[in-house]
Amino acid sequence: MGLFDWMTGGKAPPPGTPRLAVPALRDALLAVNRDTAPFIVRDGAPEGVDMTAEWRIVDARWYEIFAAAGVQRVFKVLMKFDESSGEVRAVDQSWEVEWRAGVPVLSATAGGFRGQSWEKSFETVYAFREDLSWGEVYSYKFDTDEIRKPLVAAALKAGWGWRGVAFGKL
């Protein structure tokens, strides 16, 4: 791995871990999906990459949660498999979210973003409920590591390295 791995999140697989073939790596990354996760890992063909992980901001089950939380930025992790180096190369894309009547409208950020981003935010709101009782109305946590960490773990377990890309070719 390289000198700036601490900045890009680059990691090597544990020594002696056999590298699985690309189809097995793809299956390992897809296995990160679960119904309770606020993100989805899918084929990246629409973006011209091997795999994509993104917040479920436009999923009807999830957008109310994101809207209530007032999330204004979402992101995708685009992944390409570099078989020659045995690495999953990843870059983040950031998007602005505008809420109209509780429905998300995505637009690209004006300045654009490419590289590696880490964002954490959380909020818990207490108020009077309809029955006039006091209590928690909603609670949310927005953490980009919630997407990235399971992806990195799946790649490393499959014997592949993880390389965050900021300036080079994905």
Side-chain angles (χ1 to χ4, degrees), residues 81-105:
F81 308 147
D82 184 351
E83 290 187 73
S84 64
S85 66
E87 292 179 333
V88 175
R89 296 175 59 82
V91 68
D92 298 344
Q93 281 186 342
S94 182
W95 300 88
E96 293 289 329
V97 179
E98 180 182 341
W99 296 95
R100 293 187 186 153
V103 177
V105 177

Side-chain angles (χ1 to χ4, degrees), residues 141-162:
K141 178 182 82 172
F142 181 85
D143 186 352
T144 55
D145 277 346
E146 193 170 344
I147 293 178
R148 189 178 294 108
K149 283 187 176 183
L151 296 172
V152 172
L156 297 179
K157 188 175 179 182
W160 287 69
W162 183 271

Side-chain angles (χ1 to χ4, degrees), residues 108-161:
T109 55
F113 176 79
R114 176 187 163 93
Q116 301 297 300
S117 76
W118 290 270
E119 184 175 338
K120 295 179 189 305
S121 58
F122 56 91
E123 182 176 13
T124 302
V125 174
Y126 290 89
F128 288 105
R129 299 183 187 124
E130 290 178 7
D131 64 359
L132 299 180
S133 65
W134 177 261
E136 184 178 299
V137 177
Y138 73 86
S139 181
Y140 86 94
K141 178 182 82 172
F142 181 85
D143 186 352
T144 55
D145 277 346
E146 193 170 344
I147 293 178
R148 189 178 294 108
K149 283 187 176 183
L151 296 172
V152 172
L156 297 179
K157 188 175 179 182
W160 287 69

Side-chain angles (χ1 to χ4, degrees), residues 5-18:
D5 287 343
W6 63 274
M7 288 175 44
T8 63
K11 296 193 182 302
T17 305

Side-chain angles (χ1 to χ4, degrees), residues 46-101:
E47 291 90 354
V49 296
D50 294 314
M51 300 290 289
T52 298
E54 63 186 345
W55 290 112
R56 293 185 187 202
I57 192 83
V58 293
D59 184 328
R61 273 187 30 209
W62 286 93
Y63 73 70
E64 288 183 17
I65 295 169
F66 284 113
V71 172
Q72 296 177 358
R73 183 182 304 271
V74 294
F75 87 119
K76 291 182 183 183
V77 178
L78 304 176
M79 296 167 274
K80 269 203 152 185
F81 308 147
D82 184 351
E83 290 187 73
S84 64
S85 66
E87 292 179 333
V88 175
R89 296 175 59 82
V91 68
D92 298 344
Q93 281 186 342
S94 182
W95 300 88
E96 293 289 329
V97 179
E98 180 182 341
W99 296 95
R100 293 187 186 153

